[in-house]
mmCIF file of all heavy atoms in Angstrom:
data_model
loop_
_atom_site.group_PDB
_atom_site.id
_atom_site.type_symbol
_atom_site.label_atom_id
_atom_site.label_comp_id
_atom_site.label_asym_id
_atom_site.label_seq_id
_atom_site.Cartn_x
_atom_site.Cartn_y
_atom_site.Cartn_z
ATOM 1 N N LEU Q 13 -7.540 151.095 -160.073
ATOM 2 C CA LEU Q 13 -8.323 151.812 -159.054
ATOM 3 C C LEU Q 13 -7.578 151.749 -157.683
ATOM 4 O O LEU Q 13 -6.636 151.035 -157.500
ATOM 5 C CB LEU Q 13 -9.657 151.120 -158.821
ATOM 6 C CG LEU Q 13 -10.554 150.864 -160.080
ATOM 7 C CD1 LEU Q 13 -11.817 150.133 -159.738
ATOM 8 C CD2 LEU Q 13 -10.829 152.147 -160.871
ATOM 9 N N PHE Q 14 -8.053 152.568 -156.758
ATOM 10 C CA PHE Q 14 -7.558 152.484 -155.428
ATOM 11 C C PHE Q 14 -8.728 152.685 -154.441
ATOM 12 O O PHE Q 14 -9.781 153.251 -154.838
ATOM 13 C CB PHE Q 14 -6.455 153.495 -155.141
ATOM 14 C CG PHE Q 14 -6.889 154.958 -155.082
ATOM 15 C CD1 PHE Q 14 -7.073 155.669 -153.893
ATOM 16 C CD2 PHE Q 14 -7.258 155.644 -156.243
ATOM 17 C CE1 PHE Q 14 -7.475 156.929 -153.829
ATOM 18 C CE2 PHE Q 14 -7.660 156.955 -156.215
ATOM 19 C CZ PHE Q 14 -7.792 157.644 -154.980
ATOM 20 N N GLU Q 15 -8.535 152.278 -153.220
ATOM 21 C CA GLU Q 15 -9.610 152.465 -152.236
ATOM 22 C C GLU Q 15 -9.294 153.668 -151.368
ATOM 23 O O GLU Q 15 -8.126 153.820 -150.947
ATOM 24 C CB GLU Q 15 -9.716 151.212 -151.287
ATOM 25 C CG GLU Q 15 -10.466 150.062 -151.893
ATOM 26 C CD GLU Q 15 -10.873 149.059 -150.936
ATOM 27 O OE1 GLU Q 15 -11.389 149.399 -149.853
ATOM 28 O OE2 GLU Q 15 -10.596 147.809 -151.148
ATOM 29 N N TYR Q 16 -10.320 154.470 -151.113
ATOM 30 C CA TYR Q 16 -10.080 155.547 -150.115
ATOM 31 C C TYR Q 16 -11.466 156.175 -149.806
ATOM 32 O O TYR Q 16 -12.497 155.677 -150.261
ATOM 33 C CB TYR Q 16 -9.172 156.688 -150.670
ATOM 34 C CG TYR Q 16 -8.732 157.618 -149.578
ATOM 35 C CD1 TYR Q 16 -7.997 157.133 -148.559
ATOM 36 C CD2 TYR Q 16 -9.013 158.986 -149.665
ATOM 37 C CE1 TYR Q 16 -7.556 158.034 -147.528
ATOM 38 C CE2 TYR Q 16 -8.675 159.826 -148.678
ATOM 39 C CZ TYR Q 16 -7.927 159.357 -147.578
ATOM 40 O OH TYR Q 16 -7.491 160.211 -146.538
ATOM 41 N N TRP Q 17 -11.474 157.134 -148.929
ATOM 42 C CA TRP Q 17 -12.687 157.849 -148.567
ATOM 43 C C TRP Q 17 -13.048 158.829 -149.630
ATOM 44 O O TRP Q 17 -12.490 160.021 -149.631
ATOM 45 C CB TRP Q 17 -12.519 158.490 -147.159
ATOM 46 C CG TRP Q 17 -12.307 157.546 -146.062
ATOM 47 C CD1 TRP Q 17 -11.131 157.272 -145.452
ATOM 48 C CD2 TRP Q 17 -13.248 156.670 -145.518
ATOM 49 N NE1 TRP Q 17 -11.292 156.267 -144.509
ATOM 50 C CE2 TRP Q 17 -12.624 155.904 -144.549
ATOM 51 C CE3 TRP Q 17 -14.610 156.416 -145.728
ATOM 52 C CZ2 TRP Q 17 -13.191 154.849 -143.808
ATOM 53 C CZ3 TRP Q 17 -15.243 155.442 -144.988
ATOM 54 C CH2 TRP Q 17 -14.551 154.694 -144.033
ATOM 55 N N GLY Q 18 -13.841 158.514 -150.636
ATOM 56 C CA GLY Q 18 -14.286 159.399 -151.633
ATOM 57 C C GLY Q 18 -15.694 159.890 -151.297
ATOM 58 O O GLY Q 18 -15.872 160.938 -150.776
ATOM 59 N N HIS Q 19 -16.710 159.015 -151.662
ATOM 60 C CA HIS Q 19 -18.046 159.241 -151.125
ATOM 61 C C HIS Q 19 -18.243 158.026 -150.216
ATOM 62 O O HIS Q 19 -18.663 157.006 -150.622
ATOM 63 C CB HIS Q 19 -19.040 159.189 -152.327
ATOM 64 C CG HIS Q 19 -20.463 159.433 -151.852
ATOM 65 N ND1 HIS Q 19 -21.032 160.679 -151.855
ATOM 66 C CD2 HIS Q 19 -21.395 158.594 -151.371
ATOM 67 C CE1 HIS Q 19 -22.314 160.586 -151.441
ATOM 68 N NE2 HIS Q 19 -22.508 159.318 -151.129
ATOM 69 N N GLU Q 20 -18.001 158.237 -148.932
ATOM 70 C CA GLU Q 20 -17.870 157.098 -147.980
ATOM 71 C C GLU Q 20 -16.702 156.212 -148.458
ATOM 72 O O GLU Q 20 -15.843 156.659 -149.217
ATOM 73 C CB GLU Q 20 -19.223 156.348 -147.867
ATOM 74 C CG GLU Q 20 -20.346 157.151 -147.423
ATOM 75 C CD GLU Q 20 -20.192 157.726 -146.010
ATOM 76 O OE1 GLU Q 20 -19.551 157.109 -145.195
ATOM 77 O OE2 GLU Q 20 -20.687 158.855 -145.730
ATOM 78 N N ALA Q 21 -16.694 154.916 -148.035
ATOM 79 C CA ALA Q 21 -15.638 154.069 -148.517
ATOM 80 C C ALA Q 21 -15.852 153.798 -149.983
ATOM 81 O O ALA Q 21 -16.947 153.479 -150.379
ATOM 82 C CB ALA Q 21 -15.726 152.742 -147.693
ATOM 83 N N SER Q 22 -14.821 153.987 -150.753
ATOM 84 C CA SER Q 22 -15.008 154.007 -152.189
ATOM 85 C C SER Q 22 -13.859 153.388 -152.966
ATOM 86 O O SER Q 22 -12.708 153.301 -152.495
ATOM 87 C CB SER Q 22 -15.120 155.443 -152.717
ATOM 88 O OG SER Q 22 -16.189 156.117 -152.007
ATOM 89 N N LEU Q 23 -14.162 152.901 -154.199
ATOM 90 C CA LEU Q 23 -13.206 152.590 -155.266
ATOM 91 C C LEU Q 23 -13.140 153.793 -156.120
ATOM 92 O O LEU Q 23 -14.153 154.247 -156.658
ATOM 93 C CB LEU Q 23 -13.533 151.293 -155.967
ATOM 94 C CG LEU Q 23 -13.340 150.008 -155.327
ATOM 95 C CD1 LEU Q 23 -13.995 148.836 -156.046
ATOM 96 C CD2 LEU Q 23 -11.780 149.711 -155.237
ATOM 97 N N LEU Q 24 -11.917 154.243 -156.467
ATOM 98 C CA LEU Q 24 -11.764 155.454 -157.258
ATOM 99 C C LEU Q 24 -10.659 155.191 -158.317
ATOM 100 O O LEU Q 24 -9.730 154.402 -158.097
ATOM 101 C CB LEU Q 24 -11.375 156.641 -156.402
ATOM 102 C CG LEU Q 24 -12.257 156.967 -155.267
ATOM 103 C CD1 LEU Q 24 -11.532 156.714 -153.948
ATOM 104 C CD2 LEU Q 24 -12.725 158.404 -155.202
ATOM 105 N N PRO Q 25 -10.777 155.834 -159.467
ATOM 106 C CA PRO Q 25 -9.731 155.709 -160.474
ATOM 107 C C PRO Q 25 -8.453 156.312 -159.982
ATOM 108 O O PRO Q 25 -8.460 157.344 -159.250
ATOM 109 C CB PRO Q 25 -10.289 156.503 -161.719
ATOM 110 C CG PRO Q 25 -11.307 157.392 -161.192
ATOM 111 C CD PRO Q 25 -11.939 156.706 -159.910
ATOM 112 N N LEU Q 26 -7.335 155.755 -160.400
ATOM 113 C CA LEU Q 26 -5.983 156.274 -159.981
ATOM 114 C C LEU Q 26 -5.793 157.732 -160.346
ATOM 115 O O LEU Q 26 -5.035 158.421 -159.685
ATOM 116 C CB LEU Q 26 -4.902 155.478 -160.641
ATOM 117 C CG LEU Q 26 -4.762 154.025 -160.132
ATOM 118 C CD1 LEU Q 26 -3.775 153.267 -160.941
ATOM 119 C CD2 LEU Q 26 -4.295 153.973 -158.636
ATOM 120 N N SER Q 27 -6.445 158.264 -161.385
ATOM 121 C CA SER Q 27 -6.359 159.637 -161.770
ATOM 122 C C SER Q 27 -6.784 160.588 -160.665
ATOM 123 O O SER Q 27 -6.391 161.751 -160.632
ATOM 124 C CB SER Q 27 -7.133 159.898 -163.069
ATOM 125 O OG SER Q 27 -8.488 159.613 -162.884
ATOM 126 N N LEU Q 28 -7.580 160.118 -159.758
ATOM 127 C CA LEU Q 28 -8.076 160.972 -158.619
ATOM 128 C C LEU Q 28 -7.230 160.952 -157.401
ATOM 129 O O LEU Q 28 -7.427 161.737 -156.454
ATOM 130 C CB LEU Q 28 -9.513 160.607 -158.235
ATOM 131 C CG LEU Q 28 -10.639 160.867 -159.292
ATOM 132 C CD1 LEU Q 28 -12.034 160.626 -158.701
ATOM 133 C CD2 LEU Q 28 -10.546 162.266 -159.814
ATOM 134 N N TYR Q 29 -6.186 160.066 -157.365
ATOM 135 C CA TYR Q 29 -5.362 159.953 -156.207
ATOM 136 C C TYR Q 29 -4.706 161.361 -155.864
ATOM 137 O O TYR Q 29 -4.804 161.747 -154.667
ATOM 138 C CB TYR Q 29 -4.271 158.883 -156.405
ATOM 139 C CG TYR Q 29 -3.490 158.521 -155.182
ATOM 140 C CD1 TYR Q 29 -3.990 157.524 -154.285
ATOM 141 C CD2 TYR Q 29 -2.343 159.202 -154.869
ATOM 142 C CE1 TYR Q 29 -3.298 157.221 -153.119
ATOM 143 C CE2 TYR Q 29 -1.604 158.890 -153.691
ATOM 144 C CZ TYR Q 29 -2.069 157.892 -152.878
ATOM 145 O OH TYR Q 29 -1.380 157.517 -151.752
ATOM 146 N N PRO Q 30 -4.182 162.081 -156.853
ATOM 147 C CA PRO Q 30 -3.551 163.352 -156.460
ATOM 148 C C PRO Q 30 -4.603 164.346 -155.902
ATOM 149 O O PRO Q 30 -4.244 165.277 -155.101
ATOM 150 C CB PRO Q 30 -3.002 163.875 -157.796
ATOM 151 C CG PRO Q 30 -2.754 162.625 -158.582
ATOM 152 C CD PRO Q 30 -3.899 161.718 -158.242
ATOM 153 N N LEU Q 31 -5.866 164.194 -156.266
ATOM 154 C CA LEU Q 31 -6.907 165.115 -155.832
ATOM 155 C C LEU Q 31 -7.384 164.814 -154.382
ATOM 156 O O LEU Q 31 -8.173 165.564 -153.881
ATOM 157 C CB LEU Q 31 -8.092 165.090 -156.782
ATOM 158 C CG LEU Q 31 -7.841 165.487 -158.254
ATOM 159 C CD1 LEU Q 31 -9.139 165.468 -159.010
ATOM 160 C CD2 LEU Q 31 -7.180 166.776 -158.327
ATOM 161 N N LEU Q 32 -6.921 163.670 -153.844
ATOM 162 C CA LEU Q 32 -7.366 163.312 -152.496
ATOM 163 C C LEU Q 32 -6.202 163.305 -151.465
ATOM 164 O O LEU Q 32 -6.440 162.967 -150.314
ATOM 165 C CB LEU Q 32 -8.051 161.975 -152.565
ATOM 166 C CG LEU Q 32 -9.448 161.961 -153.186
ATOM 167 C CD1 LEU Q 32 -9.845 160.590 -153.604
ATOM 168 C CD2 LEU Q 32 -10.401 162.604 -152.233
ATOM 169 N N ARG Q 33 -5.009 163.702 -151.905
ATOM 170 C CA ARG Q 33 -3.895 163.662 -150.987
ATOM 171 C C ARG Q 33 -4.086 164.763 -149.882
ATOM 172 O O ARG Q 33 -3.579 164.604 -148.742
ATOM 173 C CB ARG Q 33 -2.555 163.898 -151.687
ATOM 174 C CG ARG Q 33 -2.265 162.669 -152.667
ATOM 175 C CD ARG Q 33 -0.897 162.725 -153.273
ATOM 176 N NE ARG Q 33 0.093 162.189 -152.329
ATOM 177 C CZ ARG Q 33 1.242 161.716 -152.706
ATOM 178 N NH1 ARG Q 33 1.618 161.668 -153.981
ATOM 179 N NH2 ARG Q 33 2.133 161.248 -151.816
ATOM 180 N N TRP Q 34 -4.781 165.855 -150.195
ATOM 181 C CA TRP Q 34 -5.042 166.855 -149.156
ATOM 182 C C TRP Q 34 -5.836 166.298 -148.060
ATOM 183 O O TRP Q 34 -5.680 166.660 -146.908
ATOM 184 C CB TRP Q 34 -5.822 168.085 -149.812
ATOM 185 C CG TRP Q 34 -7.147 167.733 -150.242
ATOM 186 C CD1 TRP Q 34 -7.546 167.219 -151.466
ATOM 187 C CD2 TRP Q 34 -8.369 167.844 -149.521
ATOM 188 N NE1 TRP Q 34 -8.921 167.018 -151.552
ATOM 189 C CE2 TRP Q 34 -9.414 167.332 -150.322
ATOM 190 C CE3 TRP Q 34 -8.706 168.246 -148.153
ATOM 191 C CZ2 TRP Q 34 -10.774 167.343 -149.909
ATOM 192 C CZ3 TRP Q 34 -10.029 168.185 -147.757
ATOM 193 C CH2 TRP Q 34 -11.021 167.726 -148.637
ATOM 194 N N ARG Q 35 -6.784 165.359 -148.375
ATOM 195 C CA ARG Q 35 -7.600 164.714 -147.392
ATOM 196 C C ARG Q 35 -6.677 163.770 -146.470
ATOM 197 O O ARG Q 35 -6.913 163.696 -145.256
ATOM 198 C CB ARG Q 35 -8.728 163.914 -148.026
ATOM 199 C CG ARG Q 35 -9.681 163.278 -147.059
ATOM 200 C CD ARG Q 35 -10.965 162.804 -147.769
ATOM 201 N NE ARG Q 35 -11.879 163.904 -148.074
ATOM 202 C CZ ARG Q 35 -12.899 163.896 -148.892
ATOM 203 N NH1 ARG Q 35 -13.198 162.770 -149.503
ATOM 204 N NH2 ARG Q 35 -13.619 164.956 -149.063
ATOM 205 N N MET Q 36 -5.733 163.199 -147.114
ATOM 206 C CA MET Q 36 -4.821 162.341 -146.363
ATOM 207 C C MET Q 36 -3.998 163.189 -145.461
ATOM 208 O O MET Q 36 -3.807 162.826 -144.266
ATOM 209 C CB MET Q 36 -3.945 161.500 -147.256
ATOM 210 C CG MET Q 36 -4.704 160.557 -148.243
ATOM 211 S SD MET Q 36 -3.646 159.796 -149.433
ATOM 212 C CE MET Q 36 -4.902 159.048 -150.524
ATOM 213 N N ARG Q 37 -3.472 164.326 -145.914
ATOM 214 C CA ARG Q 37 -2.659 165.261 -145.081
ATOM 215 C C ARG Q 37 -3.465 165.714 -143.877
ATOM 216 O O ARG Q 37 -3.067 165.734 -142.759
ATOM 217 C CB ARG Q 37 -2.187 166.440 -145.896
ATOM 218 C CG ARG Q 37 -1.164 166.109 -146.952
ATOM 219 C CD ARG Q 37 -0.459 167.299 -147.473
ATOM 220 N NE ARG Q 37 -1.441 168.287 -148.123
ATOM 221 C CZ ARG Q 37 -1.655 168.277 -149.451
ATOM 222 N NH1 ARG Q 37 -1.069 167.379 -150.189
ATOM 223 N NH2 ARG Q 37 -2.487 169.101 -150.021
ATOM 224 N N GLN Q 38 -4.731 166.095 -144.173
ATOM 225 C CA GLN Q 38 -5.605 166.578 -143.097
ATOM 226 C C GLN Q 38 -5.863 165.467 -142.012
ATOM 227 O O GLN Q 38 -5.846 165.693 -140.832
ATOM 228 C CB GLN Q 38 -6.940 167.147 -143.627
ATOM 229 C CG GLN Q 38 -6.771 168.449 -144.363
ATOM 230 C CD GLN Q 38 -8.113 169.170 -144.536
ATOM 231 O OE1 GLN Q 38 -9.133 168.593 -144.327
ATOM 232 N NE2 GLN Q 38 -8.031 170.390 -145.008
ATOM 233 N N ALA Q 39 -6.136 164.273 -142.537
ATOM 234 C CA ALA Q 39 -6.439 163.132 -141.659
ATOM 235 C C ALA Q 39 -5.223 162.903 -140.690
ATOM 236 O O ALA Q 39 -5.411 162.641 -139.504
ATOM 237 C CB ALA Q 39 -6.710 161.901 -142.427
ATOM 238 N N SER Q 40 -3.977 163.045 -141.239
ATOM 239 C CA SER Q 40 -2.844 162.807 -140.381
ATOM 240 C C SER Q 40 -2.717 163.820 -139.254
ATOM 241 O O SER Q 40 -2.014 163.685 -138.254
ATOM 242 C CB SER Q 40 -1.527 162.813 -141.209
ATOM 243 O OG SER Q 40 -1.255 164.130 -141.718
ATOM 244 N N GLN Q 41 -3.417 164.996 -139.477
ATOM 245 C CA GLN Q 41 -3.447 166.063 -138.450
ATOM 246 C C GLN Q 41 -4.716 165.973 -137.606
ATOM 247 O O GLN Q 41 -4.982 166.900 -136.752
ATOM 248 C CB GLN Q 41 -3.305 167.437 -139.106
ATOM 249 C CG GLN Q 41 -2.051 167.590 -139.926
ATOM 250 C CD GLN Q 41 -2.121 168.657 -140.951
ATOM 251 O OE1 GLN Q 41 -3.110 169.441 -141.007
ATOM 252 N NE2 GLN Q 41 -1.143 168.752 -141.858
ATOM 253 N N GLY Q 42 -5.512 164.933 -137.809
ATOM 254 C CA GLY Q 42 -6.729 164.758 -137.021
ATOM 255 C C GLY Q 42 -7.883 165.548 -137.539
ATOM 256 O O GLY Q 42 -8.918 165.718 -136.820
ATOM 257 N N VAL Q 43 -7.832 166.031 -138.799
ATOM 258 C CA VAL Q 43 -8.857 166.894 -139.318
ATOM 259 C C VAL Q 43 -9.671 166.052 -140.351
ATOM 260 O O VAL Q 43 -9.134 165.372 -141.146
ATOM 261 C CB VAL Q 43 -8.311 168.168 -139.995
ATOM 262 C CG1 VAL Q 43 -9.365 168.977 -140.697
ATOM 263 C CG2 VAL Q 43 -7.481 168.951 -139.075
ATOM 264 N N GLY Q 44 -11.023 166.226 -140.300
ATOM 265 C CA GLY Q 44 -11.875 165.577 -141.301
ATOM 266 C C GLY Q 44 -12.030 164.060 -141.111
ATOM 267 O O GLY Q 44 -12.508 163.351 -141.972
ATOM 268 N N ILE Q 45 -11.692 163.602 -139.865
ATOM 269 C CA ILE Q 45 -11.932 162.210 -139.507
ATOM 270 C C ILE Q 45 -12.751 162.120 -138.247
ATOM 271 O O ILE Q 45 -12.943 163.128 -137.585
ATOM 272 C CB ILE Q 45 -10.596 161.361 -139.424
ATOM 273 C CG1 ILE Q 45 -9.670 162.042 -138.364
ATOM 274 C CG2 ILE Q 45 -9.895 161.266 -140.727
ATOM 275 C CD1 ILE Q 45 -8.384 161.297 -138.084
ATOM 276 N N TYR Q 46 -13.269 160.925 -137.925
ATOM 277 C CA TYR Q 46 -14.020 160.769 -136.720
ATOM 278 C C TYR Q 46 -13.225 161.164 -135.471
ATOM 279 O O TYR Q 46 -12.035 161.022 -135.397
ATOM 280 C CB TYR Q 46 -14.462 159.310 -136.558
ATOM 281 C CG TYR Q 46 -15.313 158.804 -137.608
ATOM 282 C CD1 TYR Q 46 -14.917 157.735 -138.524
ATOM 283 C CD2 TYR Q 46 -16.580 159.305 -137.905
ATOM 284 C CE1 TYR Q 46 -15.710 157.249 -139.531
ATOM 285 C CE2 TYR Q 46 -17.372 158.866 -138.930
ATOM 286 C CZ TYR Q 46 -16.933 157.880 -139.740
ATOM 287 O OH TYR Q 46 -17.756 157.363 -140.750
ATOM 288 N N GLN Q 47 -13.901 161.765 -134.541
ATOM 289 C CA GLN Q 47 -13.253 162.255 -133.317
ATOM 290 C C GLN Q 47 -12.475 161.225 -132.588
ATOM 291 O O GLN Q 47 -11.359 161.388 -132.096
ATOM 292 C CB GLN Q 47 -14.319 162.920 -132.408
ATOM 293 C CG GLN Q 47 -14.830 164.225 -132.900
ATOM 294 C CD GLN Q 47 -15.760 164.890 -131.873
ATOM 295 O OE1 GLN Q 47 -16.002 164.298 -130.787
ATOM 296 N NE2 GLN Q 47 -16.233 166.046 -132.203
ATOM 297 N N GLU Q 48 -13.086 159.998 -132.513
ATOM 298 C CA GLU Q 48 -12.361 158.918 -131.842
ATOM 299 C C GLU Q 48 -11.061 158.548 -132.489
ATOM 300 O O GLU Q 48 -10.053 158.272 -131.901
ATOM 301 C CB GLU Q 48 -13.288 157.714 -131.690
ATOM 302 C CG GLU Q 48 -14.330 157.800 -130.620
ATOM 303 C CD GLU Q 48 -13.712 157.932 -129.245
ATOM 304 O OE1 GLU Q 48 -12.759 157.137 -128.910
ATOM 305 O OE2 GLU Q 48 -14.082 158.824 -128.460
ATOM 306 N N MET Q 49 -11.121 158.573 -133.821
ATOM 307 C CA MET Q 49 -9.948 158.228 -134.580
ATOM 308 C C MET Q 49 -8.843 159.328 -134.446
ATOM 309 O O MET Q 49 -7.624 159.086 -134.358
ATOM 310 C CB MET Q 49 -10.193 157.987 -136.081
ATOM 311 C CG MET Q 49 -8.982 157.463 -136.878
ATOM 312 S SD MET Q 49 -9.340 157.120 -138.592
ATOM 313 C CE MET Q 49 -10.423 155.705 -138.369
ATOM 314 N N ALA Q 50 -9.334 160.548 -134.495
ATOM 315 C CA ALA Q 50 -8.339 161.744 -134.307
ATOM 316 C C ALA Q 50 -7.671 161.612 -132.888
ATOM 317 O O ALA Q 50 -6.515 161.867 -132.729
ATOM 318 C CB ALA Q 50 -9.143 163.052 -134.466
ATOM 319 N N LYS Q 51 -8.510 161.318 -131.846
ATOM 320 C CA LYS Q 51 -7.956 161.157 -130.533
ATOM 321 C C LYS Q 51 -6.977 159.961 -130.483
ATOM 322 O O LYS Q 51 -5.922 160.107 -129.868
ATOM 323 C CB LYS Q 51 -9.146 160.877 -129.591
ATOM 324 C CG LYS Q 51 -8.727 160.669 -128.139
ATOM 325 C CD LYS Q 51 -9.889 160.386 -127.188
ATOM 326 C CE LYS Q 51 -9.434 160.139 -125.789
ATOM 327 N NZ LYS Q 51 -10.515 159.705 -124.972
ATOM 328 N N PHE Q 52 -7.309 158.872 -131.168
ATOM 329 C CA PHE Q 52 -6.400 157.725 -131.217
ATOM 330 C C PHE Q 52 -5.028 158.178 -131.868
ATOM 331 O O PHE Q 52 -3.991 157.804 -131.384
ATOM 332 C CB PHE Q 52 -6.990 156.583 -131.992
ATOM 333 C CG PHE Q 52 -6.172 155.344 -132.018
ATOM 334 C CD1 PHE Q 52 -6.310 154.389 -131.051
ATOM 335 C CD2 PHE Q 52 -5.241 155.136 -133.026
ATOM 336 C CE1 PHE Q 52 -5.576 153.231 -131.047
ATOM 337 C CE2 PHE Q 52 -4.498 153.978 -133.026
ATOM 338 C CZ PHE Q 52 -4.623 153.012 -132.088
ATOM 339 N N GLY Q 53 -5.179 158.972 -132.920
ATOM 340 C CA GLY Q 53 -3.892 159.436 -133.612
ATOM 341 C C GLY Q 53 -3.091 160.236 -132.742
ATOM 342 O O GLY Q 53 -1.819 160.243 -132.802
ATOM 343 N N ARG Q 54 -3.691 161.081 -131.842
ATOM 344 C CA ARG Q 54 -2.890 161.936 -130.936
ATOM 345 C C ARG Q 54 -2.237 161.152 -129.803
ATOM 346 O O ARG Q 54 -1.145 161.418 -129.420
ATOM 347 C CB ARG Q 54 -3.841 163.011 -130.367
ATOM 348 C CG ARG Q 54 -4.328 164.063 -131.308
ATOM 349 C CD ARG Q 54 -4.949 165.194 -130.588
ATOM 350 N NE ARG Q 54 -6.069 164.811 -129.756
ATOM 351 C CZ ARG Q 54 -7.372 164.701 -130.163
ATOM 352 N NH1 ARG Q 54 -7.631 165.051 -131.459
ATOM 353 N NH2 ARG Q 54 -8.341 164.334 -129.358
#
């Protein structure tokens, strides 16, 4: 398993990791995360 934002903070099977990399890419651009965290990232 791995931890990530699935349905809130979640444990997910490794088979779903490729299906959530888009969310990681968006988060790095400040999309789909809390405004304060996006601001911190910038």
Side-chain angles (χ1 to χ4, degrees):
L13 310 178
F14 72 103
E15 284 194 46
Y16 194 60
W17 297 105
H19 181 95
E20 302 297 330
S22 305
L23 282 169
L24 306 111
L26 289 171
S27 59
L28 292 189
Y29 191 87
L31 300 185
L32 287 163
R33 295 188 83 156
W34 67 273
R35 183 166 284 169
M36 299 173 190
R37 289 194 297 269
Q38 287 195 351
S40 70
Q41 299 160 10
V43 177
I45 55 177
Y46 298 117
Q47 287 185 358
E48 281 299 312
M49 187 178 291
K51 180 182 178 184
F52 184 89
R54 291 192 302 271

